[in-house]
């Protein structure tokens, strides 16, 4: 009889190559909560989907004073190493990916323990919808467009400093 929800995040795997690659995870839910359509849905989610979920929940609930569990930090350095790596068996990368996987699992389970967050449609969709979620705009770590934007900003700063020095 008692209601339960248990979420596991497994099978981290790199999708794509180079700077446009990303990590995807299998999110498995096991629950007897009546508002879920399935008892054991399994979906593939990318890291940015987790951050997007956190953004959506924060937008809805933070102003009501609800505490939203923090999502794992976005590590640009750790992820860039993985994006650019050729070898799959690098121990540092494995440690980074495993820590992130465990943090994502902890984040989802903490969210699921919260009575109003666990019934939220975005949370349920995150766990049940087998389609790809719409991309969240704030989450891309290093898309090629962002890298170019960053490089051009650095370039502008260098030009500004250089011109000032000449004066």
């Amino acid at each position: 009889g008692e209601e339960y929800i248990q979420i596991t995040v497994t099978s981290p795997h790199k999708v794509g190559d180079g700077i446009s690659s990303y990590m995807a995870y299998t999110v498995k839910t096991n629950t007897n909560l009546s508002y879920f359509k399935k008892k054991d849905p399994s979906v593939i989610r990318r890291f940015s989907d987790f951050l997007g979920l956190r953004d959506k929940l924060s937008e809805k609930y933070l102003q009501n004073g609800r505490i939203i569990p923090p999502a794992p930090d976005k590590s640009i350095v750790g992820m860039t190493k993985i994006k650019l790596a050729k070898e799959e068996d690098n121990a540092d990368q494995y440690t980074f990916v495993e820590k992130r996987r465990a943090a994502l699992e902890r984040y989802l389970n903490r969210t699921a323990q919260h009575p109003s967050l666990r019934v939220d449609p975005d949370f349920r969709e995150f766990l049940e919808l087998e389609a790809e979620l719409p991309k969240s705009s704030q989450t891309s770590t290093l898309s090629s467009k962002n890298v170019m934007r960053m490089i051009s900003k650095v370039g502008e700063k260098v030009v500004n400093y250089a011109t000032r020095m000449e004066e």
Side-chain angles (χ1 to χ4, degrees), residues 14 19 75-87 90 92-93 96 142:
K14 186 166 138 180
I19 210 75
S75 165
I76 291 176
V77 173
M79 204 45 221
T80 303
K81 281 181 186 168
I82 287 173
K83 286 181 178 198
L84 300 177
K86 297 282 178 257
E87 302 283 311
N90 183 326
D92 292 347
Q93 291 170 16
F96 170 78
L142 281 179

Side-chain angles (χ1 to χ4, degrees), residues 91-124:
D92 292 347
Q93 291 170 16
Y94 176 78
T95 305
F96 170 78
V97 169
E98 178 48 33
K99 278 185 179 160
R100 179 179 265 185
R101 184 211 60 76
L104 292 171
E105 186 173 283
R106 208 169 34 250
Y107 163 68
L108 289 179
N109 278 298
R110 281 184 183 156
T111 305
Q113 295 317 307
H114 196 292
S116 29
L117 298 181
R118 73 161 65 165
V119 300
D120 182 88
D122 287 319
F123 184 63
R124 292 197 327 254

Side-chain angles (χ1 to χ4, degrees), residues 5 16 121 134 137-138:
I5 180 166
S137 57
Q138 291 94 30

